[in-house]
Amino acid sequence: MTGGHDVKVEGAKASSRARFLLRGALLLLAVVFVALGTWQIQRLFWKLDLIARVDARVHAAAVPAPPRPDWDSITREKDEYLRVTATGTFNHDKSVLVQAVTERGAGFWLLTPLHREDGTMVLVNRGFVPADRRGRADRAEGEALGSTGVTGLLRISEPGGAFLRSNDPSGDRWFSRDVAAIATAKGLTDVAPYFIDADATPNSGGLPIGGLTVVSFRNSHLVYALTWFALAGMSVGGVYIVRRRSTSSH
């Protein structure tokens, strides 16, 4: 009889330890989930502030594109989508086509270096060219000559290429607007570390088509936060259930 009683006592102690460890694990998970939810709330306010700042830049009056002395201080957070102007002469011989998918279908962005009056150059994304009009002769009417003014959005270089598709400078195949790589491939010097997405000002002949820049930011932080807080609530609920069952078993 004594041996059987001892086994039951030991079993009860083991069960009690297991429930204690389970409650501890659930409480730890709840703390972690709350921390993750709080972090997502912080990210949410950061993203909302970023969206507001970018929206203000997009709709603000255009300012001169950053000159050479300011190039080193340009950042994505501070300058991208700033509305800018630039004046110079296009070098159409050095243009590149970058694969693109837009609201008008698949085709290419036409990037052309603009020789500015201060001697520097900036790549200008003049706009979209449909795949069946990629030949220079098919869009020759849109090649602006002489001193030309450009208004558009400042964009930060896109190095490397696109998802699973690397730029191929030697083959003149481009999947991202990599300023440094394009400048090297085309023998350009003193090139700004950004490019300009031209606005919707029409070009002769209708091509290229500017003003197709999509300014959007994925913002799922609230959904993530609610998910983490829900998991925290479930963990706390699990602690309550384990404790209740532990109490009812005594």
Side-chain angles (χ1 to χ4, degrees):
M1 292 292 293
T2 302
H5 177 71
D6 290 342
V7 170
K8 289 182 179 179
V9 170
E10 289 299 323
K13 289 181 179 179
S15 178
S16 178
R17 282 196 298 270
R19 287 193 292 269
F20 175 79
L21 291 174
L22 179 57
R23 290 199 300 270
L26 288 171
L27 284 173
L28 178 60
L29 283 174
V31 171
V32 171
F33 292 147
V34 168
L36 289 170
T38 301
W39 176 67
Q40 286 295 338
I41 291 295
Q42 293 172 345
R43 294 285 294 173
L44 171 64
F45 284 108
W46 169 82
K47 183 61 70 67
L48 291 174
D49 179 64
L50 174 64
I51 292 172
R53 285 187 281 116
V54 168
D55 187 66
R57 292 176 208 158
V58 169
H59 295 97
V63 298
R68 200 181 202 299
D70 296 339
W71 288 356
D72 290 340
S73 63
I74 293 173
T75 64
R76 187 178 302 276
E77 293 74 15
K78 177 173 64 70
D79 299 294
E80 188 153 40
Y81 299 110
L82 182 68
R83 191 167 178 79
V84 297
T85 61
T87 302
T89 304
F90 282 117
N91 186 344
H92 299 288
D93 292 337
K94 301 291 186 177
S95 294
V96 299
L97 293 168
V98 180
Q99 287 200 359
V101 177
T102 73
E103 62 189 47
R104 292 176 176 265
F108 301 88
W109 297 124
L110 178 64
L111 267 69
T112 305
L114 181 75
H115 292 254
R116 295 194 287 186
E117 296 168 349
D118 64 356
T120 63
M121 285 186 278
V122 60
L123 286 178
V124 177
N125 174 17
R126 300 189 61 222
F128 175 75
V129 175
D132 60 354
R133 302 286 299 278
R134 64 177 297 176
R136 184 173 177 180
D138 295 326
R139 48 182 169 79
E141 191 177 345
E143 293 189 350
L145 302 176
S147 182
T148 305
V150 174
T151 300
L153 301 178
L154 185 151
R155 302 295 307 279
I156 303 300
S157 179
E158 302 167 343
F163 180 64
L164 298 179
R165 309 186 80 177
S166 298
N167 291 325
D168 177 17
S170 61
D172 203 26
R173 289 189 292 271
W174 302 93
F175 302 99
S176 73
R177 293 163 290 191
D178 186 335
V179 172
I182 292 172
T184 299
K186 294 299 179 179
L188 307 176
T189 58
D190 218 12
V191 182
Y194 56 85
F195 62 94
I196 298 174
D197 271 344
D199 64 11
T201 301
N203 290 297
S204 298
L207 290 178
I209 304 168
L212 298 183
T213 306
V214 176
V215 183
S216 65
F217 296 90
R218 188 167 177 266
N219 188 7
S220 301
H221 297 297
L222 180 58
V223 174
Y224 294 151
L226 293 176
T227 300
W228 290 124
F229 288 140
L231 289 172
M234 293 170 63
S235 298
V236 172
V239 172
Y240 172 76
I241 293 173
V242 171
R243 182 178 179 83
R244 184 174 180 180
R245 289 181 177 177
S246 176
T247 302
S248 62
S249 65
H250 288 293

